[in-house]
Amino acid sequence: MLRKKTEGRAGVARSAGVLAQIAGHRMNRRSFLRNSGLGVTGLAAFGAGVGRVKPAAAQAAAANVEIRKSVCTHCSVGCTVE
């Protein structure tokens, strides 16, 4: 439903006006997305934890490596893959 702008602002639904009065300020899309992004980022940082990150360690090379030719399954041409 389209609403006519008055005084440069679009009309606000009644429930949004009540919630804005409770919060003490108006919530627009930009501030909602910014605040929800900050909240999700904070939760992700808290969940990851600083001490859980470890440096990558290389595995030892396998001694018995056997190379075989096979058929590539990516397309219908049937190229060989080692």
Side-chain angles (χ1 to χ4, degrees):
M1 171 186 254
L2 296 175
R3 294 188 181 205
K4 193 175 200 179
K5 288 186 178 182
T6 57
E7 298 177 11
R9 297 185 307 173
V12 179
R14 177 176 247 166
S15 62
V18 171
L19 292 175
Q21 288 177 356
I22 292 171
H25 67 285
R26 294 184 91 84
M27 177 72 70
N28 57 14
R29 289 184 196 143
R30 183 171 294 194
S31 62
F32 172 76
L33 290 173
R34 182 185 64 227
N35 292 339
S36 60
L38 289 172
V40 168
T41 304
L43 287 173
F46 179 72
V50 177
R52 295 184 188 180
V53 179
K54 298 178 185 176
Q59 293 181 353
N64 300 330
V65 176
E66 188 175 330
I67 298 175
R68 295 183 180 180
K69 284 189 176 183
S70 181
V71 179
C72 173
T73 59
H74 183 67
C75 64
S76 62
V77 175
C79 305
T80 59
V81 176
E82 291 184 357

